[in-house]
Amino acid sequence: MKKVLANFEEIIVSFFLLLMVCMISFNVVLRVATRQSIPWLEEVSYFCFAWIIFVGASAAYKRSLHGGIDLLVRLFPETARKVVSLLSTFLILLICVVMTFFSFRFAVSAGSKVTPILYISYFWVDLSAVVGFGMMCAHSLGFIKNLFLHQDYYRSKPLYSGILDYDTVMGGVAEDETLQLHVEDRAKPNGGEEKK
């Protein structure tokens, strides 16, 4: 159960990705073989794509996989880098809260619109943004907790390691030695590469 909770977004994304690939592949084969396709499969594929994008963004954020340019920050002294890390995490939390609020308003306002073939309410399509940004809010709070409790300024400690013992990146129980090496590498100004 813990492993499921630690990889909740990944499970959702995997389900929708598998469903989308199967439907698109079937439609392509059908189009080649019979020169006809099933229109509602494309509609459901768009639905799946929205959930893959927004929930996948949350999964990437949880693993600290979003791109970032820290060239300038790495030139700062240690104290300044910690302050920047703290401020950036709070700023991301604020942005995610605002996006969750407006995404929910957008989803509610789009509830009366339906898809042209299956008549699915666009609320369920737009709800993907609410879920994605909502999960990113929760992850931001986890990063902030790690900042204050564990001084994890480089996001090297597995998120929720105090609640869930599973490291979502490694897929198993996080080991202290691996974690310590990762902390030391992230803390080095040149990105973990030794100077020759």
Side-chain angles (χ1 to χ4, degrees):
M1 186 63 182
K2 287 182 177 181
K3 199 166 187 178
V4 171
L5 291 174
N7 296 282
F8 184 64
E9 294 106 316
E10 289 83 350
I11 293 169
I12 294 175
V13 170
S14 299
F15 169 75
F16 282 114
L17 183 60
L18 178 64
L19 187 62
M20 186 179 74
V21 169
C22 289
M23 288 187 299
I24 292 174
S25 300
F26 179 75
N27 231 6
V28 168
V29 171
L30 193 64
R31 188 178 293 120
V32 170
T34 66
R35 295 189 179 180
Q36 292 181 344
S37 62
I38 303 174
W40 64 265
L41 287 179
E42 292 183 20
E43 196 170 273
V44 177
S45 296
Y46 296 143
F47 176 89
C48 294
F49 188 68
W51 282 86
I52 291 168
I53 292 299
F54 287 106
V55 180
S58 175
Y61 178 61
K62 175 178 67 179
R63 297 181 178 210
S64 299
L65 294 177
H66 284 292
I69 301 173
D70 58 356
L71 180 64
L72 182 62
V73 176
R74 288 184 180 276
L75 299 176
F76 293 171
E78 185 72 15
T79 306
R81 278 191 278 163
K82 291 178 180 179
V83 171
V84 169
S85 177
L86 187 63
L87 291 176
S88 65
T89 305
F90 273 106
L91 180 61
I92 291 170
L93 173 62
L94 177 63
I95 292 170
C96 288
V97 168
V98 171
M99 291 302 295
T100 303
F101 173 75
F102 283 107
S103 297
F104 181 75
R105 287 186 60 182
F106 181 74
V108 170
S109 67
S112 57
K113 291 168 47 180
V114 294
T115 58
I117 300 171
L118 294 177
Y119 301 104
I120 300 172
S121 172
Y122 273 98
F123 172 80
W124 300 109
V125 179
D126 300 332
L127 187 64
S128 59
V130 181
V131 173
F133 285 115
M135 287 180 172
M136 281 191 266
C137 288
H139 299 328
S140 295
L141 291 173
F143 284 131
I144 290 170
K145 178 186 77 82
N146 283 350
L147 278 169
F148 285 106
L149 295 183
H150 307 290
Q151 287 75 47
D152 182 27
Y153 297 101
Y154 304 102
R155 294 188 184 175
S156 48
K157 185 177 179 63
L159 199 57
Y160 309 122
S161 61
I163 303 169
L164 303 170
D165 294 329
Y166 287 92
D167 176 7
T168 56
V169 178
M170 303 298 286
V173 180
E175 297 181 3
D176 291 337
E177 292 181 7
T178 305
L179 177 61
Q180 186 60 38
L181 289 172
H182 191 51
V183 171
E184 291 172 359
D185 286 344
R186 296 274 306 255
K188 289 177 183 177
N190 57 356
E193 296 179 1
E194 296 291 342
K195 290 183 179 179
K196 294 182 180 179

